[in-house]
Amino acid sequence: MDVFTLTVVNAFIAVVVTAVLALQNKAERQFRYQRYFMLAALCTLFNATFSMIHYAGEPVPYWLLPALTNTLSVGAHIALAAGIHRHLQLSGKRLWLLVVFFAVYLLHFTDFATSNVANRMLLAIPIVILLNFWCMQMLWQHRRNEHGKVYLAFIATFAFNILQFSLRSAYMALEHYQLLQTQHSAVIYSIGFFSLTAFAILIFGCIIMLSHSQQQQALLQLSERDPLTGVLNRRSMELRLAGELNRAVRTQTPVSLLLIDIDHFKQVNDTLGHAIGDLAIKHIANLTNELSRDYDVIFRFGGEEFLICLPNTDKAAARQIANRIRQTIELHPLLAPAPVPLTVSIGVASTERAIDWQALLQQADEALYQAKHLGRNCVQSYSANLQAA
């Protein structure tokens, strides 16, 4: 396959990917990192278009080719790095990447760059390799999250790109300094161009995979999360609780449940309206989230009830956490707009040996019933004596 055909293939790939990403961006505007990937596709498209004009035999000025085309090649990698940086929501400004883009273009007009092709390649390739290494480093640090398999595909693609650029640079350097002489320069040049085409196919395939993975995660979150509070819903409770209790049995660690009920919630709805009632539920959920540890699991159990699973937590520690939640809620009334005082009753159940989650939940429910019977705004732990009573 000749170079002109490869440039046509590159242009076609870029058009397709740009169109797909534009449609996805219109449908899923919250994935704003896709705009950077669209920019990478556009850089590839313009690069291929100008190259097609050149390989078709039309005269092209130096400022357009190779100066601009080489810079667009670097720009595509800059846009990829910026998109990954934005997707991972990392701190730091991305404006300096734009400075790199213009600096590369201006350096093409130096005596070093205008003297021969090898110098221009050696000007751009190290920057591309550094950008690829940066992308790999960012993705590797987040490889254990829900998109980990897609990140590993990105990493493998960037590793392939680094390898092909490194081999091409080494060959060009050896040939330039006359340390290596072969009769296959044109073939090697075509292979290098094909490698760029393969990289474009692979990287844009990874981009589509990432968009699909995020859409799946968004759908999964919608099915697992309560739309009002954002905490897990009751539908996902069985699987999560069973998993936590099985882990507790394997590791021989205690696990506790807190069942929380908002006191006199019906009065809040009846006197202030359901809109204030919804705000009250969100207020309790937000305070509970702030007081929970990273590994605690919170569910909206019912209308005004919440369930918290506390892994590796015995009865004494669970009771302390429950009291801290109760006191914080009591001290922080809902502001809507006038202060609305709220209190909660909490039932605590703990286990240090094998027990199914339904039984543990029943114990927490009995403890909650006792807490409400004792006057509400209190914490009650389950015990054998409580069950007898």
Side-chain angles (χ1 to χ4, degrees), residues 104-219:
V104 170
Y105 181 69
L106 293 176
L107 286 172
H108 273 80
F109 296 94
T110 61
D111 293 337
F112 174 80
T114 55
S115 59
N116 57 66
V117 176
N119 287 352
R120 290 193 292 272
M121 296 295 290
L122 293 175
L123 178 67
I125 287 176
I127 298 174
V128 170
I129 291 176
L130 287 174
L131 288 168
N132 285 186
F133 270 122
W134 183 41
C135 292
M136 292 173 66
Q137 183 262 337
M138 289 188 289
L139 293 165
W140 182 257
Q141 290 181 345
H142 295 82
R143 68 190 184 281
R144 299 191 186 279
N145 76 2
E146 62 271 16
H147 308 298
K149 291 182 180 179
V150 181
Y151 294 167
L152 291 176
F154 267 106
I155 290 170
T157 302
F158 283 122
F160 163 76
N161 201 41
I162 290 171
L163 178 62
Q164 68 95 4
F165 266 125
S166 299
L167 292 176
R168 287 175 62 198
S169 300
Y171 174 80
M172 290 178 61
L174 291 173
E175 190 178 49
H176 177 70
Y177 292 107
Q178 298 181 348
L179 298 175
L180 178 67
Q181 293 183 350
T182 68
Q183 304 298 320
H184 308 291
S185 298
V187 175
I188 292 174
Y189 183 72
S190 297
I191 292 173
F193 213 97
F194 176 78
S195 298
L196 292 176
T197 304
F199 172 73
I201 295 172
L202 292 171
I203 201 68
F204 290 134
C206 290
I207 290 170
I208 301 302
M209 287 169 56
L210 179 60
S211 299
H212 179 66
S213 178
Q214 280 216 293
Q215 288 170 351
Q216 282 189 319
Q217 288 297 322
L219 290 173

Side-chain angles (χ1 to χ4, degrees), residues 358-377:
Q358 293 97 332
L360 190 62
L361 180 58
Q362 179 63 32
Q363 292 178 4
D365 188 55
E366 292 176 13
L368 174 61
Y369 177 82
Q370 185 67 14
K372 293 164 71 175
H373 182 71
L374 293 174
R376 295 183 170 84
N377 192 23

